[in-house]
């Protein structure tokens, strides 16, 4: 709410009351002419501005899917009735959503607790999990601020007044068009290439992808934003460094494979890490080999023993077998036995 009042061109939308047409574009019939007309949604109206989307997890699946093209291509193509149009959506999206169970479980992975499609999550440059962790110093500050706010009747001014901040943002947008310097380009390129190739492993194990080209574009945008904050027309090495630190911080929180401790963007984009994919591939091969040897119906214990022989942990083998059952790749014709589907 605060950001939507500060930004020179902003729209505030609440997920539950937002439809796909309301966020993108609606085609309506004109009562007077009998023809069809376009009505711009929040993303189009906030072009070159910011869309503040609250309660994103409460939106319907169809409504959320309408945002994919707008976020990826920064345009919305309409082909309805007799209207063929392309509208710009060069819009920053600041979205907030709740985890599945109301608060984050510290013993479970964060991507597994975000009830949003992975194809939509990985279109965001930065993801910040906000946890409510008891801490005396922070709790005292929050309590003091809230109580003083009630005492003063809600008239507490921040360190920077909203009017000054609004002018600062407007000035930076109008007068600053940052361009990447060679030093910034080299730093971003070095980080991207080294991180991409840090996960190369020997053997046939599926390789993790620590970072993709989508994050490379995010680094450029963040570095340009850092330069704009300084009211500079040049993206310096310090801006590139700040962008890299921001991205690494977010990836540490939501894009780390717990089994290897390394960055794995697949954890965000698909919800399955490369290590998990590798183990699933091994388990499928074990079932395939045993089926050729002994027939279709296989004892669960034999499958697990063979998976353990390949180097897989026993508990992990049981977990993957359950995952294959839930996906419908295998089924249990009778207790203690597994059969491959098809």
């Amino acid at each position: 709410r605060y950001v939507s009042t500060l930004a020179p061109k902003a729209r505030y939308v609440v997920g539950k009351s937002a439809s796909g047409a309301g966020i993108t574009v609606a085609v309506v019939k004109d009562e007077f002419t009998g023809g069809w007309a376009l009505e711009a949604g929040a993303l189009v109206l906030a072009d070159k501005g910011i869309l503040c989307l609250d309660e994103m997890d409460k939106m319907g699946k169809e409504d959320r899917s309408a945002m994919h093209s707008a976020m990826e291509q920064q345009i919305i193509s309409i082909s309805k009735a007799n209207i063929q149009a392309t509208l710009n959506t060069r819009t920053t999206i600041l979205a907030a959503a709740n985890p599945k169970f109301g608060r984050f479980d510290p013993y479970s992975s964060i991507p597994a607790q975000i009830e949003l499609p992975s194809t939509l999550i990985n279109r965001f440059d930065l993801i910040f999990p906000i946890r409510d962790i008891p801490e005396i110093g922070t709790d005292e500050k929050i309590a003091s601020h809230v109580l003083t706010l009630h005492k003063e009747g809600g008239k507490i001014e921040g360190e920077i007044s909203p009017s000054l901040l609004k002018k600062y943002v407007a000035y930076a947008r109008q007068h600053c068009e940052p361009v990447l310097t060679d030093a910034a380009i080299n730093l971003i390129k070095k980080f991207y290439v080294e991180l991409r190739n840090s996960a190369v492993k020997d053997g046939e194990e599926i390789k993790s992808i620590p970072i993709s080209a989508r994050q490379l574009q995010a680094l450029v945008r963040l570095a340009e934003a850092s330069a704009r904050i300084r009211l500079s027309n040049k993206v310096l090495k310090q801006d590139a460094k700040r962008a890299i630190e921001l991205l690494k911080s977010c990836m540490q929180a939501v894009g780390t494979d717990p089994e290897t401790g390394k960055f794995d963007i697949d954890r965000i984009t698909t919800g399955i890490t490369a290590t998990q994919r590798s183990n699933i591939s091994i388990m499928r091969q074990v079932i395939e080999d045993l089926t050729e040897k002994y027939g279709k119906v296989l004892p669960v214990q034999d499958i697990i023993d063979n998976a353990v022989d390949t180097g897989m942990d026993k508990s992990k083998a049981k977990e993957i077998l359950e995952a294959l059952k839930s996906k419908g790749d295998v089924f249990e014709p009778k207790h203690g036995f597994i059969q491959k589907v098809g």
Side-chain angles (χ1 to χ4, degrees):
R1 293 283 298 183
Y2 187 64
V3 170
S4 67
T5 59
L6 284 180
K9 191 176 182 183
R11 287 288 185 277
Y12 177 80
V13 176
V14 180
K16 191 68 177 175
S17 58
S19 65
I23 284 181
T24 54
V25 177
V27 178
V28 294
K29 194 160 189 175
D30 194 310
E31 294 181 4
F32 297 102
T33 63
W36 296 89
L38 287 178
E39 283 191 359
L43 274 169
V44 178
L45 292 171
D47 182 41
K48 289 193 174 180
I50 186 166
L51 172 68
C52 300
L53 178 56
D54 201 5
E55 303 288 353
M56 188 180 181
D57 55 308
K58 307 294 190 298
M59 290 176 67
K61 288 182 180 179
E62 293 79 11
D63 301 330
R64 280 199 302 254
S65 65
M67 297 169 60
H68 282 70
S69 174
M71 293 180 72
E72 176 70 21
Q73 308 294 336
Q74 294 193 314
I75 56 169
I76 293 175
S77 296
I78 291 293
S79 181
K80 292 183 179 178
N82 61 341
I83 293 177
Q84 303 281 334
T86 302
L87 303 173
N88 288 321
T89 56
R90 296 160 293 184
T91 310
T92 301
I93 297 179
L94 176 65
N98 295 308
K100 281 182 185 179
F101 306 110
R103 65 171 60 228
F104 286 114
D105 178 3
Y107 304 107
S108 181
S109 68
I110 287 175
Q113 298 178 66
I114 301 174
E115 204 164 14
L116 291 170
S118 55
T119 50
L120 191 62
I121 291 173
N122 81 330
R123 279 169 168 77
F124 287 95
D125 292 349
L126 300 172
I127 301 168
F128 297 100
I130 301 172
R131 289 173 166 171
D132 185 15
I133 300 171
E135 202 272 316
I136 291 175
T138 307
D139 293 342
E140 281 183 352
K141 285 179 184 177
I142 292 170
S144 299
H145 176 75
V146 171
L147 294 170
T148 307
L149 195 65
H150 283 277
K151 181 184 174 184
E152 301 292 334
K155 294 180 181 178
I156 295 178
E157 280 283 332
E159 290 186 17
I160 302 173
S161 68
S163 60
L164 177 62
L165 193 54
K166 195 167 187 175
K167 289 173 185 174
Y168 179 82
V169 172
Y171 181 87
R173 289 182 67 84
Q174 289 171 13
H175 296 89
C176 300
E177 291 295 332
V179 178
L180 287 164
T181 60
D182 290 340
I185 287 171
N186 291 334
L187 187 63
I188 291 172
K189 184 165 70 174
K190 183 183 176 185
F191 170 75
Y192 176 75
V193 173
E194 285 183 358
L195 191 57
R196 282 278 297 182
N197 292 276
S198 64
V200 175
K201 295 178 181 177
D202 296 327
E204 296 181 0
E205 187 178 353
I206 294 173
K207 299 169 188 173
S208 65
I209 302 173
I211 190 171
S212 68
R214 200 167 264 167
Q215 280 67 48
L216 179 61
Q217 291 173 328
L219 282 171
V220 173
R221 284 191 290 266
L222 291 168
E224 288 175 349
S226 175
R228 197 174 272 123
I229 287 171
R230 298 187 297 101
L231 302 181
S232 171
N233 282 318
K234 287 187 177 180
V235 179
L236 303 178
K237 191 174 181 178
Q238 68 191 67
D239 299 312
K241 192 174 180 182
R242 180 183 289 170
I244 288 168
E245 290 302 319
L246 260 173
L247 189 69
K248 281 171 72 175
S249 173
C250 290
M251 287 180 70
Q252 194 77 49
V254 297
T256 304
D257 186 343
E259 294 180 42
T260 61
K262 295 181 179 178
F263 291 145
D264 187 357
I265 203 65
D266 288 351
R267 190 171 173 80
I268 303 170
T269 57
T270 65
I272 300 172
T273 64
T275 309
Q276 287 173 317
R277 282 207 318 277
S278 180
N279 286 335
I280 289 169
S281 178
I282 290 167
M283 181 61 79
R284 281 180 175 151
Q285 191 59 50
V286 165
I287 294 170
E288 191 77 42
D289 292 344
L290 289 175
T291 301
E292 287 180 9
K293 275 187 182 180
Y294 305 112
K296 292 184 178 179
V297 182
L298 306 168
V300 171
Q301 194 57 50
D302 287 359
I303 296 170
I304 291 170
D305 290 342
N306 276 266
V308 169
D309 289 342
T310 65
M312 194 185 300
D313 185 67
K314 189 173 181 178
S315 60
K316 184 60 65 179
K318 289 180 179 178
E319 184 185 314
I320 289 167
L321 203 54
E322 288 299 318
L324 290 174
K325 279 165 63 179
S326 65
K327 285 172 66 180
D329 290 347
V330 297
F331 69 99
E332 200 169 6
K334 57 184 176 179
H335 181 67
F337 290 84
I338 289 291
Q339 183 176 335
K340 195 178 76 165
V341 174

